[in-house]
Every structure is written in C-alpha cells, then in structure tokens.
Amino acid sequence: MGISNRVTNENSNCEMRKEKRLCYIQPCDSNILKTIEIPKGKTCQPTFQLSKAEKFVFSGCSSTQSYKPTFCGICLDKRCCNPNKSKMITIQFDCPNEGSFKWKMLWITSCVCQRNCREPGDIFSELKIL
C-alpha cells in the first residue's frame, strides 16, 4: 500500500487543492501473479482479486472492515494491464490504544491492457526516479 499525492480543482469553487490518498495497485507478493488464470482462448486477464477479503494495515493500525480489492492482471503477450477506472472510498482504521482515523483510498474498478509498456507484466516500468 502506498500514498498518492495529487493537485486537483475538482470542487465546488474550482480551487486548486492538494489531496493525499492511499493506493493499493498490486500485491507485493509476486507469486500471486502466477496464480492468475487466463481464460481459454484469451491472452489477458485484465483484473483479478485475492481469494479472500483482508483487513488493510497502515502505520500499525488495522481497517475496521475486511476488503477484497480489484487489482490489474497480466497478459501472455507483450501487453501491460493498468488501472482504467477507479473511485474513491473511505477506509476507517483502528489503532491499538490510540483511537481511530479515516483515509480516502483509490479503489480500482477496471483495468485495460495495452501494448505501450516497456516491461510486460511490470506495471511500474514507466516510473522514473526524480
């Protein structure tokens, strides 16, 4: 899980504002990608979900609910699958002996698989270190 920062003017006053949100684009366990089943006759599985819902952990605090997020999948050819549509949800976290807090989170609803990628299967191949 990571934190995404953006500047947007999507508000009633059309004012520029900085927003932070949690994002969970793909599980860190690379073995999970090996378990994705691509339908017969297809070369891609654009999205996948974990087999069971899980609680999110952030800064030592756990989400009050369990979630089953959608992740972008893989292709057998040289295409990469990246988020296409998403929405914002609010996650509540409880901290041991410290109360609770809420964070907005990017929630992937669909992914698209395209040929414009440097490293097939690596959704982060386009990132550059500044």
Side-chain angles (χ1 to χ4, degrees):
M1 192 175 329
I3 297 175
S4 166
N5 294 302
R6 74 176 188 160
V7 176
T8 181
N9 65 346
E10 291 177 21
N11 57 68
S12 59
N13 296 330
C14 200
E15 295 173 343
M16 297 301 272
R17 294 187 182 153
K18 290 181 183 179
E19 292 181 350
K20 289 184 181 194
R21 62 187 177 183
L22 297 175
C23 51
Y24 189 19
I25 304 297
Q26 199 169 59
C28 293
D29 183 0
S30 59
N31 290 327
I32 288 176
L33 294 178
K34 296 174 185 169
T35 66
I36 300 172
E37 292 185 25
I38 296 176
K40 189 173 183 174
K42 302 281 185 179
T43 55
C44 293
Q45 178 62 41
T47 60
F48 72 96
Q49 289 184 309
L50 301 178
S51 57
K52 62 179 185 171
E54 61 181 29
K55 289 193 174 199
F56 295 131
V57 177
F58 181 64
S59 295
C61 305
S62 296
S63 62
T64 56
Q65 291 182 287
S66 293
Y67 294 89
K68 201 170 180 181
T70 298
F71 300 106
C72 292
I74 58 169
C75 293
L76 297 175
D77 53 16
K78 295 196 179 288
R79 290 184 285 170
C80 295
C81 302
N82 295 303
N84 179 44
K85 293 183 182 174
S86 62
K87 63 182 182 177
M88 296 287 280
I89 65 169
T90 301
I91 308 281
Q92 179 157 341
F93 291 89
D94 280 339
C95 306
N97 306 318
E98 301 209 12
S100 64
F101 63 91
K102 292 180 182 180
W103 262 78
K104 288 184 180 178
M105 183 173 187
L106 172 80
W107 191 260
I108 296 170
T109 56
S110 71
C111 298
V112 64
C113 303
Q114 300 174 338
R115 294 202 182 276
N116 61 350
C117 57
R118 292 186 184 139
E119 306 261 345
D122 182 2
I123 64 168
F124 301 110
S125 66
E126 300 295 318
L127 293 179
K128 295 183 175 108
I129 297 175
L130 300 176

